[in-house]
Amino acid sequence: MAGSLREIQAKIASTKKTSQITGAMQMVSASKLTRSEQAAKDFQIYASKIRQITTDLLHSELINGSSNPMLDARPVRKTGYIVITSDKGLVGGYNSTILKAVLDMIKRDHDSEDEYAIISIGGTGSDFFKARNMNVAFELRGLEDQPSFEQVGKIISKAVGMYQNELFDELYVCYNHHVNSLSSEVRVEQMLPIADLDPNESEGHVLTKFELEPDRDTILDQLLPQYAESLIYGAIVDAKTAEHAAGMTAMQTATDNAKNVINDLTIQYNRARQAAITQELLKLLVVQVHLNRLEYLLLN
């Protein structure tokens, strides 16, 4: 029984240490989430401005049709997918949710590897696709907690360049959209060709009132790829925010589970200790009975 009590005590001590670690990790993830949410809000200011400028410049094309390759759909022979996952675990179902959705989508929409290419951001996704011998064209690992555009700019520019060079004919980004600290949702959004611009958002076609230097078409040739890149970067920031939220929730759940285990073990320990004490008392009582009987025999 003493050995059993020591084992329970050791389990309680070990679980307490685990709960302290998960509690600390929860607070770290919460701090990262706060910073990431602020970064996402700051980015939205930039995104809304570049969207406004792009919509104003393209007002007539959006109404009458365009011949710009960044806007026009073409026959789809190959599709590009940017898939965003985390580099590490301990984020609950964050990775499994998006990876299952992408895998099901590719199996449903494509008959062979020649019909798609994956650009993987995050080590978990890269390892997942490579283990299944799927077509991973490029990958980016070791993304910072608050990724800057400089860190992801190269792979984003590569993806846009592959579309411009017709290595694939449409580009989607697949990621977990941050809803709140407790939930996220899978999103698969078309990045190229650009299809989300609405001419009704144009503020009276303001930019046509100005002379543009060098000229409008040259500006669009530079602006449209940058606009597409900003959309992809925004998805990365959003996904990173969802990752931090998932990490915080997972660690909170782990901490709560550890506390429940400690409570159960404490109850188990108290019961075992009470049983041990009762057993010792019974032994003493038996000894006392024998002593009393021996004393009676000696006296008589």
Side-chain angles (χ1 to χ4, degrees):
M1 183 63 69
S4 176
L5 287 173
R6 284 194 294 269
E7 290 175 1
I8 296 173
Q9 282 182 314
K11 289 180 180 179
I12 291 174
S14 175
T15 308
K16 282 183 177 179
K17 291 180 180 179
T18 300
S19 69
Q20 291 171 349
I21 294 172
T22 56
M25 294 175 70
Q26 176 191 344
M27 289 188 289
V28 170
S29 292
S31 176
K32 291 178 180 178
L33 174 61
T34 300
R35 294 197 301 271
S36 193
E37 286 179 329
Q38 185 59 51
K41 290 178 181 178
D42 294 341
F43 172 76
Q44 287 305 315
I45 298 174
Y46 166 80
S48 64
K49 291 297 182 182
I50 192 171
R51 181 184 179 88
Q52 177 185 333
I53 293 171
T54 304
T55 304
D56 284 342
L57 280 171
L58 290 170
H59 181 80
S60 60
E61 283 89 344
L62 294 175
I63 294 176
N64 302 318
S66 168
S67 59
N68 192 299
M70 297 291 288
L71 300 171
D72 291 344
R74 58 188 184 231
V76 178
R77 294 167 296 177
K78 193 169 187 176
T79 302
Y81 296 101
I82 298 177
V83 183
I84 306 171
T85 61
S86 70
D87 283 296
K88 301 177 182 178
L90 303 178
V91 287
Y94 173 83
N95 290 313
S96 59
T97 301
I98 186 64
L99 290 174
K100 182 180 184 302
V102 172
L103 187 62
D104 291 344
M105 179 177 61
I106 290 177
K107 287 182 177 179
R108 182 188 69 235
D109 296 339
H110 303 289
D111 296 324
S112 71
E113 291 186 1
D114 296 333
E115 296 181 358
Y116 70 89
I118 296 172
I119 298 173
S120 178
I121 298 179
T124 302
S126 298
D127 294 337
F128 176 87
F129 294 123
K130 286 182 176 180
R132 288 157 179 79
N133 296 317
M134 300 178 71
N135 185 10
V136 179
F138 295 98
E139 64 176 88
L140 175 64
R141 297 173 182 259
L143 203 60
E144 296 176 356
D145 293 326
Q146 312 299 326
S148 64
F149 187 84
E150 287 73 18
Q151 185 185 17
V152 297
K154 185 175 181 180
I155 195 168
I156 292 175
S157 298
K158 188 71 176 179
V160 174
M162 290 175 71
Y163 173 82
Q164 291 176 309
N165 294 326
E166 300 187 9
L167 296 179
F168 44 72
D169 303 295
E170 57 183 359
L171 176 65
Y172 291 86
V173 62
C174 312
Y175 67 103
N176 283 308
H177 164 63
H178 174 64
V179 178
N180 54 49
S181 59
L182 297 177
S183 64
S184 62
E185 62 183 20
V186 172
R187 282 192 176 179
V188 179
E189 297 180 344
Q190 180 178 319
M191 296 288 111
L192 291 168
I194 298 171
D196 69 329
L197 296 175
D198 184 355
N200 294 322
E201 296 179 15
S202 176
E203 298 182 355
H205 203 17
V206 175
L207 291 180
T208 57
K209 300 177 183 179
F210 298 92
E211 292 185 5
L212 302 176
E213 181 66 30
D215 59 70
R216 180 175 171 279
D217 290 339
T218 302
I219 292 174
L220 283 173
D221 288 341
Q222 294 294 323
L223 181 62
L224 288 176
Q226 290 180 17
Y227 177 72
E229 291 171 6
S230 72
L231 293 178
I232 298 171
Y233 176 67
I236 294 173
V237 172
D238 191 356
K240 205 66 180 177
T241 305
E243 178 188 333
H244 296 322
M248 183 186 72
T249 301
M251 291 303 99
Q252 181 178 354
T253 301
T255 302
D256 293 341
N257 289 340
K259 290 179 180 179
N260 291 334
V261 170
I262 291 171
N263 290 336
D264 292 341
L265 287 172
T266 301
I267 293 173
Q268 183 180 346
Y269 174 81
N270 290 336
R271 287 176 178 173
R273 186 168 178 271
Q274 185 177 10
I277 293 173
T278 301
Q279 188 175 9
E280 289 299 322
L281 289 175
L282 288 174
K283 288 181 180 179
L284 290 174
L285 181 60
V286 170
V287 170
Q288 186 62 45
V289 168
H290 284 297
L291 289 175
N292 291 340
R293 180 177 297 177
L294 179 61
E295 182 181 2
Y296 174 80
L297 292 174
L298 291 174
L299 292 174
N300 294 284

